Amino acid sequence: GAGVSQTPSNKVTEKGKYVELRCDPISGHTALYWYRQSLGQGPEFLIYFQGTGAADDSGLPNDRFFAVRPEGSVSTLKIQRTERGDSAVYLCASSLIPQETQYFGPGTRLLVL
Amino acid sequence: RKEVEQDPGPFNVPEGATVAFNCTYSNSASQSFFWYRQDCRKEPKLLMSVYSSGNEDGRFTAQLNRASQYISLLIRDSKLSDSATYLCVVSKGAGGTSYGKLTFGQGTILTVHP
């Protein structure tokens, strides 16, 4: 079956611009997670949704980062006033329920110039 | 101090070798433990969960020492296809399952050569 998909696969933007990253979870998965991975590091948790609500947003680095999941399926991670330090791979994962294995998408590579 | 720390590596081993990776975690509330594998420029994939009694999956053996807050992964008879980054992961989920936030180590790079 189809796995987690993310679009775009690559995004190049300029400092100060706004970007949106999209995640389509595996059909039927109620839990959705966003992580960020910098070069040479492991993924770092950003936010986790159970259904439409953010169950844990403790990993969002500051108020420039925001994520939504309005219908409990697709999620969008929004970054305002991008900075060069935001450059990383943004990974999305989903699981059937929070207690189950998380399956990751291929990620969006964001480069802020 | 990072919540999950791993051997920095990289490890370069010949085919057929046995290699071991170690990991320590600082949060005693951690309940669930995993090893993920990540190929170059790919997403992480679950390799195996780690249970208190230790567990084996083919050539892979995982051990957990809760008292020392230490996790290990042993790979026997290494194959070229084992070349990847191995990520140690902990979570506060109970009962050997993940729940919400996964906390990853920085990963250890393994290269298996002919």
Side-chain angles (χ1 to χ4, degrees):
Chain A
V4 178
S5 62
Q6 293 186 245
T7 54
S9 54
N10 293 279
K11 176 71 178 177
V12 181
T13 190
E14 293 178 345
K15 180 174 179 297
K17 299 289 188 182
Y18 168 82
V19 296
E20 289 190 353
L21 313 180
R22 176 187 167 108
C23 172
D24 277 272
I26 294 172
S27 178
H29 279 197
T30 65
L32 184 146
Y33 313 82
W34 284 99
Y35 295 84
R36 176 169 72 172
Q37 187 171 24
S38 300
L39 196 62
Q41 301 297 315
E44 177 189 20
F45 172 81
L46 295 177
I47 185 170
Y48 141 58
F49 288 89
Q50 174 56 37
T52 59
D56 183 349
D57 64 357
S58 62
L60 294 177
N62 51 59
D63 61 7
R64 295 187 298 106
F65 289 75
F66 189 71
V68 295
R69 193 186 186 202
E71 297 178 357
S73 179
V74 170
S75 176
T76 305
L77 179 65
K78 308 180 181 193
I79 311 174
Q80 298 178 319
R81 304 183 303 280
T82 52
E83 300 177 357
R84 292 193 181 90
D86 298 335
S87 297
V89 176
Y90 288 80
L91 293 163
C92 177
S94 71
S95 63
L96 187 60
I97 54 177
Q99 295 87 344
E100 295 295 324
T101 300
Q102 294 182 28
Y103 296 90
F104 284 80
T108 292
R109 282 176 172 70
L110 175 66
L111 177 61
V112 182
L113 300 175
Chain B
R1 180 188 172 190
K2 290 188 177 181
E3 195 169 332
V4 179
E5 298 208 50
Q6 295 184 239
D7 281 352
F11 286 69
N12 293 289
V13 303
E15 275 186 290
T18 295
V19 61
F21 303 138
N22 303 314
C23 168
T24 57
Y25 62 96
S26 60
N27 189 340
S28 59
S30 300
Q31 294 286 333
S32 300
F33 310 91
F34 311 91
W35 283 100
Y36 273 70
R37 172 196 168 124
Q38 186 171 28
D39 293 303
C40 188
R41 298 181 70 82
K42 298 289 188 182
E43 70 272 24
K45 292 184 179 178
L46 179 65
L47 177 65
M48 59 196 301
S49 300
V50 187
Y51 301 112
S52 296
S53 55
N55 49 296
E56 188 175 306
D57 182 2
R59 299 180 292 108
F60 299 83
T61 300
Q63 296 280 351
L64 168 65
N65 184 322
R66 286 184 183 270
S68 303
Q69 296 183 191
Y70 170 93
I71 307 162
S72 67
L73 177 69
L74 183 77
I75 306 176
R76 291 182 300 278
D77 188 24
S78 298
K79 311 291 184 191
L80 296 177
S81 57
D82 293 335
S83 298
T85 296
Y86 290 83
L87 296 158
C88 179
V89 186
V90 304
S91 150
K92 292 181 185 174
T97 58
S98 64
Y99 185 87
K101 171 182 174 180
L102 296 181
T103 302
F104 289 78
Q106 74 174 84
T108 301
I109 298 172
L110 171 65
T111 301
V112 181
H113 57 82

